Amino acid sequence: MIEKVKTGLLVMLVAVSLMQSYFLSYSSPKFDPLEQQDYVKTDPIGTQAKLEDLLFPDQVVLHMGNQVHTVLYPNTAPYNQVLDSVKQRTLSGFRKTTVSALNMNVEEVRGKQQGIEVVFRDGIPISVLHRVMQMKGDLPLDNDTITRIWIIAREAKDEVRTILFTDTASTVYEVQKADISAKDIERLMAIEGTVPYKAVEGDYYLPTKPVSFPGYSFGFSQFTVDQLKRSFFVDPAITRNLSERDGTEIYTDAKRGLQLKNDERWLIYSDPVASVDAKIDVEENLLSAVQFVNQHGGWNGQYTVQKVPQRLLPVNQAFIFRQYYGSLPIINQRNDNIGFIKMVLQKGVVSSYERSMIIPEPQSATSKEVAMLFGDALDAKLNQYAKKSAVISVFPGYRPTVGVGEDRMRLDPSWVVELRDGTYEFLE
């Protein structure tokens, strides 16, 4: 009898053990939920944008013939009228060639023939340009960077030649078919509200008659630390804070880092990304960059794609988005941190993100028209510039000023020189 009881208990224990093993293997464990106050959901802050919103030319130049030109700037009626007309036209059949093979004297064509020049100062890869231009058929496989689109009316006035210039001086693409006529170009030459410019060696233009731009003053706010922590960290409650002697604040969750340079109103976000040996896709990285900004601070103003990486750079790709206000870019001198967003991406993943913490408040803006130097006075100022031999471009831009401890920004229009090393300075 006792043996039967022992046997029964043993069988029962074995059965219970098997049931426990089953539940341990196949049941889902229950975790205690994270307290709501310890986990903060990311809320979008700032304004949103699409990549197409950031792809617009720095200038549109009309070549009138007889050495007369005019320069049109973004967000003006003449600029919009000409650019909209060009963007509605279809371009197809892209033949890669050279300027010499086209038997084309650029300076002669620029001075004597009527035409439209769409200028992307730092260039846009063909794979991205197709997002704003009606480019049909197969795009060139080389994906060269396009800096200018020239639509030229031939002297006979009965046909038009369309040329895409690249960042390589001798390399161009001739468009085999473009549905724009010589009459279209002639009509656009008569556009009103323009100022005459002259061409200067180095492919830039200076006004020969008075020109002015508005100067602005407006208030601004800043991203708060709480907003930024919510935006960049999955669980802001576990971030640690370090303070540097210069006033810089560093926040980290042991993986990502957020550095706030409070005296410069500048932030640097970093998220180490393991190196991946993958094909570089500029368009994919640009799309990812735009989406990242949409989700982490927003644009809070108008920006344009200024610099894109060259094809031969490493896997990490750095992009710069230049801030505009009205018709002109906001320019930073040398190491000044203002007027741009800089990002580094690898295979669509952001590893570095730098931007201003300033949020402009345009509703508080006041403006005053400012006359710019022109003609002989501008020539004299440029000739007196100590680094004239290093100048590759001259254009109008805004000089930003923010007083220490102030919550207003001034934007003063000024002539900007671009130097060969890629930096900018203002003509004093």
Side-chain angles (χ1 to χ4, degrees), residues 291-328:
Q291 185 61 23
F292 188 89
V293 177
N294 284 341
Q295 296 172 347
H296 300 87
W299 297 92
N300 303 306
Q302 186 177 28
Y303 284 78
T304 183
V305 177
Q306 181 188 17
K307 289 187 183 294
V308 294
Q310 303 301 309
R311 296 186 304 277
L312 300 179
L313 288 182
V315 175
N316 286 341
Q317 293 186 328
F319 298 89
I320 293 179
F321 300 91
R322 173 65 58 187
Q323 186 176 6
Y324 265 70
Y325 201 92
S327 298
L328 305 180

Side-chain angles (χ1 to χ4, degrees), residues 7-115:
T7 301
L9 289 171
L10 181 60
V11 170
M12 184 175 66
L13 290 171
V14 170
V16 170
S17 177
L18 290 172
M19 289 179 64
Q20 288 178 329
S21 298
Y22 173 82
F23 284 120
L24 286 172
S25 298
Y26 296 99
S27 65
S28 298
K30 292 183 179 181
F31 297 109
D32 293 330
L34 198 64
E35 293 295 330
Q36 184 64 34
Q37 64 266 27
D38 293 334
Y39 177 77
V40 183
K41 184 179 180 180
T42 298
D43 295 320
I45 54 177
T47 59
Q48 312 288 289
K50 299 181 295 184
L51 176 56
E52 288 77 4
D53 300 329
L54 312 177
L55 300 172
F56 57 89
D58 303 271
Q59 301 174 346
V60 172
V61 183
L62 300 183
H63 302 292
M64 310 289 199
N66 297 319
Q67 305 297 332
V68 177
H69 317 268
T70 192
V71 179
L72 311 178
Y73 300 98
N75 299 314
T76 62
Y79 172 98
N80 292 336
Q81 182 179 339
V82 174
L83 186 60
D84 287 346
S85 178
V86 172
K87 288 168 64 174
Q88 290 170 9
R89 307 300 175 175
T90 300
L91 309 179
S92 61
F94 304 94
R95 183 175 72 88
K96 191 169 187 175
T97 181
T98 63
V99 174
S100 58
L102 290 176
N103 193 27
M104 175 179 164
N105 184 318
V106 174
E107 293 304 320
E108 184 176 335
V109 169
R110 186 200 310 272
K112 293 184 177 181
Q113 296 177 215
Q114 291 188 340

Side-chain angles (χ1 to χ4, degrees), residues 319-355:
F319 298 89
I320 293 179
F321 300 91
R322 173 65 58 187
Q323 186 176 6
Y324 265 70
Y325 201 92
S327 298
L328 305 180
I330 299 175
I331 299 298
N332 62 299
Q333 288 196 93
R334 299 287 174 177
N335 296 322
D336 291 347
N337 284 331
I338 195 167
F340 65 94
I341 293 175
K342 181 178 180 181
M343 306 181 72
V344 177
L345 290 92
Q346 177 181 287
K347 197 60 179 175
V349 178
V350 175
S351 61
S352 177
Y353 174 48
E354 301 183 36
R355 67 173 299 165

